[in-house]
């Protein structure tokens, strides 16, 4: 006899008190979705099962108690912190879910400038951690567009990456230690050491688990010296993406690490850089760090670009202005809501990665297919924004007019078919379908194709840590 | 609450355009460039009527006008010439601007809109107004040329000594018919809006309020003080207050004259929603709370007890803030 | 009815993070900011498209044309407007900086209205950069047309009449008017221009835009005077908030700070 919705709420209140258990109808509705379904949300349409309660944990012990209770009673738990997820990871897809919210655990526990470490609870906003670091002349080096919204636990859980990743890396390169709670209530702490060779790196069980294995309650990340006075901004226009990828590759292969290395196609470039793009592709670099390194990096990039013979330089101040406006803060979210509702035009993104030899093919094939197969498109573009020695990512940007649909049909008519094309073309070419937004629920259908024979390892992890299958059902691994 | 007006009806008498044209005494009159005129509509609410310098007993120049057409610029120009006014100040909306331009063209005067300050220098007036999205203060030199200026809302006009004013008067002649280009006109007076976005005075409760009970008590305080009541996202998501109170991102973007932030930490989501407030008072127990970096007044303390004490101290004053400005 | 839409490209001032000028300056550098459609003009363009939608739904036609005065930054928008089935899209090309020359802009626009035989001129109330607010009244004065100010909505009535909703200081006025008229749009709710689909761009957007040289002064400029002198200088108007901190354990001091804030801002308008 499964536990009823009323019993779930009563037991949670008995455990944590009424102030930590919310059953307000509006709150529950909003807690059934994330940004993937923002068009439905804007229209007040909520198609998914509404969770039984939102539970605000105030300690790892709270998290442990709630997870153990859910595990014993086979109740789905959706972990969350800053709610800036874009891929449906926060959707509640089964009845009577518990949304376990860590945003009240928002203390910055320690900024350690000697060992260059920052420790914060899962609900500490990255912006707050960054501000605290900046006050000491330091930076986390982590700057996802969601920085004003996202919180530490979610950033680790979704394997986030920031706009300066080409120098600082993704969160997996920054995270030193953490505390996480597993479905049986077990609280685990991974200590803070610079490196160790003591078996597998178990941090990776938590990083990117998207709430499907554990709930991250605390994270310790690296700190770096912040030296904005040394920043050098470089920008160029050029005719072809293929040439642009080639230049990115040359910079990486030659051993340079700009913090920003970006390549925009003409459509995306026109949107961001209308002052100079003029129908061209746009290449952007930012060198940061110690003065001697930034100087060398910038000079080397200038030489590589010059040798290519296909680029035209852009005034540096233009690039600096763009750099000063990188983040997707609350005011932009508010503007976007108005814009969607007045223009009936909505934009989404899909990010993939691949090695240098296939990235341009994926870009060309997927773009051509979207233009040909999806109706009402108003913009099909993209950019590369995170480069590596072996390849780069591609961030597809797709805008469409919403024509003759009910709010809930937006996903079916446009968003899913677009995502399908991009995922299919990427996997076919041997790339990864998810570069940094996570799998969520809407790319889970292709997870076996993504993993191939290594799916065994993923599935085994899931079975081992979440044998009752209560952790974020439908995320990463599709709902049965 | 809708008053319809068709082509057969007269415009309401109280919306005639009233030009108050003033001039300094004889000695001052020789100094070109004294502020000499205030033109404004009578019968308008305080926002538009802040240039009232004279009482009802002061003879005034009434220029016929209506809600759907500005005063006859020829009549206005004649009146200004009679008064000898060198600087004409007018309110600043699109309609008044049209009047200002028409008047300036007839007088051969300069015309600037949205003026925020006037500065008298030995070689003439310097006019300040905003440019570049309000981020820049642009300065214009007028010399001693006559000028028609619309004064930005929120700016007090320079003080004029009413006792030395000589007035020109003209009989009022309200228009008797709609202009030929107008087929019909229909006016709906503004109704007092309860919307947060329109509120001039707001109390915003944040997570630091601590509990559902405390948030409810803050709502009572807001009510007693005549403040609109809003909450941050964590408060709404904790169901300490209903979702329609939400400020920021998916809620209301506020632009009040005064925002009191009670127990708000300073999370960007909320700060974006109150950034356009004229004055921000923040109350928080944490002296390092980021909210203080974006506030004009910061009080380190318990928001509830302080605001309840404040409401108590204001109890004798039933008027909401700002209502004494008329 | 045949409407001409006038729009201006302005720097995206939302991108400015610090102060635009330091101390007293003789110039404001905006060259590094991306050009966007002036927000009030963008609202005007979308309102006109909605008006056309209504006309077409009523079985009528309402040809729209667009004009912008200035450099090539407008061409991208003009092409978009062609894709949105505008009849003509024109740029009155000039190398001069007209940011603070509303008289010259008004002269060129009035001239364009006369040449095109348009019956409606629809444009934003003011630009975000120059912000003179003088172009609509100057064009109206030059054409001898009524100016309908602070317009927030338009709706189609007949081929010879439209309903215009506009703000007055104390309410909202709905006027049924017979063109010709100049409509100045301000702060409309739907201030975003719709996007043409890629298919629209292929079908309609390939028609050429017109670039017309207006470097030479136009002869017919009666009624347009330089009402506003050029600025002699600029300073920053950005006010930094720096909190006056009060220790709340001193209740009297805290209440007095609250009272001061309460009184101090009660008087001035927003």
């Amino acid at each position: 006899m499964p536990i009823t919705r009323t019993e779930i709420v009563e037991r949670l209140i008995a455990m944590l008190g009424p102030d930590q258990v919310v059953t307000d109808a509006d709150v529950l509705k909003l807690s059934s979705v994330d940004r993937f379904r923002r068009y439905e949300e804007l229209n007040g349409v909520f198609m998914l099962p509404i969770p039984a309660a939102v539970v605000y944990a105030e300690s790892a012990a709270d998290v442990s108690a709630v997870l153990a209770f859910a595990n014993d009673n086979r109740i789905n738990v959706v972990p969350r912190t800053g709610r800036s997820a874009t891929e449906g990871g926060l959707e509640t897809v089964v009845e009577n879910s518990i949304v376990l919210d860590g945003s009240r655990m928002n203390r910055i526990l320690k900024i350690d400038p000697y060992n260059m470490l920052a420790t914060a609870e899962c609900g500490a906003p990255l912006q707050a951690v960054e501000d605290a670091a900046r006050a000491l002349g330091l930076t986390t080096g982590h700057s996802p567009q969601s920085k004003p919204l996202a919180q530490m636990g979610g950033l680790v859980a979704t394997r986030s990456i920031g706009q300066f990743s080409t120098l600082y890396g993704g969160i997996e390169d920054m995270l030193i230690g953490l505390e996480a709670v597993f479905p049986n209530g077990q609280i685990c702490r991974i200590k803070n050491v610079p490196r160790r060779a003591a078996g597998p790196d178990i941090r990776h069980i938590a990083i990117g688990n998207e709430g499907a294995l554990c709930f991250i309650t605390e994270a310790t990340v690296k700190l770096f010296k912040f030296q904005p006075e040394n920043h050098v901004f470089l920008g160029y226009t050029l005719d072809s993406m293929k040439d642009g990828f080639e230049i990115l590759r040359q910079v990486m292969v030659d051993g340079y690490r700009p913090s920003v290395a970006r390549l925009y196609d003409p459509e995306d470039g026109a949107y961001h850089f209308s002052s100079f793009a003029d129908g061209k592709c746009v290449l952007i670099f930012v060198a940061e760090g110690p003065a001697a390194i930034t100087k060398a990096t910038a000079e080397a990039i200038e030489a590589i670009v010059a040798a290519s013979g296909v680029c035209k330089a852009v005034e540096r101040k233009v690039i600096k202005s763009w750099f000063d406006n990188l983040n997707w803060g609350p005011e932009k979210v508010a503007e976007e809501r108005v814009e969607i509702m007045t223009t009936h035009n909505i934009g989404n993104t899909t990010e993939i990665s691949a090695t240098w030899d296939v990235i341009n093919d994926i870009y060309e094939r997927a773009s051509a297919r979207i233009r040909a197969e999806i109706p009402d498109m108003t913009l099909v573009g993209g950019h590369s924004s995170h480069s590596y020695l072996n390849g780069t990512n591609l961030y597809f940007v797709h805008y469409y007019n919403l024509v003759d649909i009910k709010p809930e049909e937006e996903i079916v008519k446009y968003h899913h078919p677009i995502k399908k094309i991009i995922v299919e073309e990427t996997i076919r070419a041997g790339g990864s379908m998810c570069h940094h937004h996570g799998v969520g629920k809407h790319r889970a259908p292709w997870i076996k194709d993504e993993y191939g024979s290594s799916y065994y390892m993923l599935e085994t992890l899931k079975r081992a840590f979440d044998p009752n299958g209560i952790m974020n059902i439908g995320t990463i691994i599709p709902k049965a | 609450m809708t008053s319809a007006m068709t082509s057969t009806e007269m415009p309401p008498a109280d919306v005639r355009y009233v030009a108050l044209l003033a001039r300094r005494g004889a000695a001052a009159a020789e100094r070109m460039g004294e502020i000499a005129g205030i033109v404004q509509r009578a019968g308008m609410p305080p926002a538009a009527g802040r240039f009232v310098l004279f009482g009802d007993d002061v003879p005034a120049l009434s220029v016929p006008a209506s809600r759907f057409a500005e005063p006859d610029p020829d009549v206005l120009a004649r009146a200004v010439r009679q008064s000898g006014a060198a600087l004409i100040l007018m309110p600043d909306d699109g309609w008044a601007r049209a009047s200002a331009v028409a008047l300036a063209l007839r007088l051969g005067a300069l015309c600037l809109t949205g003026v925020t300050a006037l500065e008298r220098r030995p070689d003439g007036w310097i006019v300040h107004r905003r440019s570049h999205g309000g981020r820049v203060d642009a300065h214009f030199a007028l010399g001693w040329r006559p000028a028609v200026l619309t004064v930005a809302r929120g700016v007090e006009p320079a003080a004029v000594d009413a006792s030395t004013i000589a007035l020109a008067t003209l009989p009022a002649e309200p228009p008797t018919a709609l202009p030929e280009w107008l087929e019909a006109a229909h006016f709906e007076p503004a109704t007092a809006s309860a919307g947060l976005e329109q509120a001039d005075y707001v109390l915003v409760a944040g997570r630091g309020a601590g509990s559902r009970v405390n948030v409810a008590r803050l709502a009572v305080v807001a009510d007693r003080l005549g403040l609109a009541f809003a909450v941050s996202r964590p408060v709404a998501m904790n169901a300490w207050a209903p979702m329609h109170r939400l400020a920021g991102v998916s809620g209301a973007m506020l632009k009040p004259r005064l925002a009191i932030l009670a127990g708000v930490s300073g999370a960007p989501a909320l700060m974006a929603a109150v950034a356009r407030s004229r004055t921000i008072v923040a109350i928080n127990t944490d002296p390092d709370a980021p909210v203080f970096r974006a506030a004009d007044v910061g009080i380190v303390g318990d928001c509830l007890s302080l605001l309840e004490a404040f409401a108590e101290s204001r109890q004798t004053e039933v008027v909401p803030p700002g209502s004494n400005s008329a | 009815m045949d409407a001409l839409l006038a729009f201006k490209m302005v720097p995206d001032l939302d991108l400015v993070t610090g102060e635009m000028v330091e101390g007293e300056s003789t110039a404001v550098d905006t060259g590094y900011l991306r050009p966007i459609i002036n927000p009030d003009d963008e609202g005007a363009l979308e309102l006109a498209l909605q008006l056309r939608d209504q006309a077409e739904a009523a079985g009528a036609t309402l040809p729209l044309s667009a004009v912008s005065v200035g450099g090539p930054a407008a061409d991208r928008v003009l092409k978009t407007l062609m894709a949105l089935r505008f009849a003509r899209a024109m740029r009155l090309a000039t190398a001069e900086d007209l940011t603070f020359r509303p008289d010259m802009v008004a002269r060129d626009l009035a001239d364009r209205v006369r040449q095109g035989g348009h019956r409606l001129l629809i444009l934003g109330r003011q630009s975000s950069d120059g912000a003179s607010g003088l172009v609509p009244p100057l064009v109206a004065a030059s054409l001898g047309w009524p100016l309908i100010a602070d317009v927030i909505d338009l709706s189609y009535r007949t081929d010879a009449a439209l309903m215009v909703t506009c703000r007055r200081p104390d309410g909202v006025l709905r006027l049924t008017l017979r063109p010709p008229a100049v409509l100045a749009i301000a702060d409309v709710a739907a201030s975003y221009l719709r996007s043409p689909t890629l298919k629209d761009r292929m079908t309609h957007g390939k028609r050429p835009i017109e670039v017309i040289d207006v470097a030479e002064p136009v002869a017919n400029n009666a009624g347009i005077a330089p009402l506003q002198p050029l600025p002699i200088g600029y300073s920053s108007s950005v006010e930094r908030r720096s909190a006056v901190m009060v220790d709340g354990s001193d209740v009297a001091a805290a209440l007095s700070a609250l009272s001061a804030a309460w009184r101090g801002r009660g008087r001035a308008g927003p």
Side-chain angles (χ1 to χ4, degrees), chain A residues 55-70:
Chain A
V55 177
Y56 289 91
E58 295 182 355
S59 64
D62 285 353
V63 173
S64 171
V66 172
L67 289 184
F69 161 68

Side-chain angles (χ1 to χ4, degrees), chain B residues 152-243:
Chain B
R153 285 198 285 167
V155 176
E156 300 286 347
V160 174
D161 181 359
S163 64
T164 62
I165 287 165
L167 286 164
T169 61
L170 216 80
E173 287 287 341
T176 52
L178 292 167
E180 44 83 29
W181 50 268
L182 200 53
E183 209 166 277
H186 175 93
F187 181 73
E188 290 168 23
T191 49
S193 168
L196 282 174
E197 306 216 347
Q198 282 77 39
D200 275 342
Y201 304 91
V202 183
L203 173 65
V204 187
R207 173 154 51 181
S211 70
R212 188 193 312 250
V213 174
N214 288 355
V215 169
R217 281 168 65 184
L218 283 170
V220 171
V221 169
D223 202 43
R224 282 171 69 187
L225 288 168
L227 302 165
F229 186 63
V231 300
S232 70
R233 186 158 193 93
V235 170
M237 290 306 285
N238 277 309
W240 291 347
M243 203 57 81

Side-chain angles (χ1 to χ4, degrees), chain A residues 356-376:
Chain A
W356 295 115
D357 56 343
V358 293
I359 194 75
N360 193 56
D361 289 346
I362 296 172
Y363 164 71
E364 286 181 0
R365 284 198 195 125
S367 300
R369 273 191 65 193
I370 296 169
R371 287 196 181 95
E373 294 174 27
I374 310 295
D376 312 318

Side-chain angles (χ1 to χ4, degrees), chain A residues 18-19 21-22 24 26-27 30-31 41 54 56 80 83 103-104 106 127 131 148-149 330-331 333-334 337, chain B residues 207 210-212 233-234 236-244 248-251 253 268-270 272 290 293:
Chain A
D19 201 41
V21 182
V22 169
D24 175 86
D26 289 332
V27 173
L30 290 174
S31 300
E41 185 202 317
V54 176
Y56 289 91
R80 76 172 187 199
R83 301 184 69 241
S103 64
R104 280 192 200 172
N106 61 356
Q127 185 79 60
D131 289 348
L149 306 169
E331 61 302 322
V333 173
R337 294 172 73 92
Chain B
R207 173 154 51 181
S211 70
R212 188 193 312 250
R233 186 158 193 93
M237 290 306 285
N238 277 309
W240 291 347
M243 203 57 81
H244 70 261
V249 190
S250 49
M253 299 301 273
L270 184 74
R293 291 203 286 272

Side-chain angles (χ1 to χ4, degrees), chain C residues 117-142:
Chain C
H118 303 284
R119 300 287 289 163
L120 276 177
L121 175 65
I122 309 178
L123 73 178
R125 178 179 66 157
Q126 69 178 41
S127 61
S128 61
D129 54 352
S132 78
L134 294 176
V135 172
L138 277 174
V139 183
S142 170

Side-chain angles (χ1 to χ4, degrees), chain A residues 30 35 37-44 46 83 328 330-345, chain B residues 233 246 248-251, chain C residues 192:
Chain A
L30 290 174
R35 273 179 63 79
R37 290 187 191 264
R38 70 195 188 288
Y39 187 61
E40 289 166 53
E41 185 202 317
L42 276 171
N43 284 283
F46 296 91
R83 301 184 69 241
W328 184 257
E331 61 302 322
K332 287 186 188 163
V333 173
E335 271 170 34
E336 184 206 34
R337 294 172 73 92
V338 175
E339 187 165 2
I340 291 170
M341 292 312 274
T342 54
T343 62
H344 305 287
N345 181 275
Chain B
R233 186 158 193 93
L246 178 64
V249 190
S250 49
Chain C
Y192 297 97

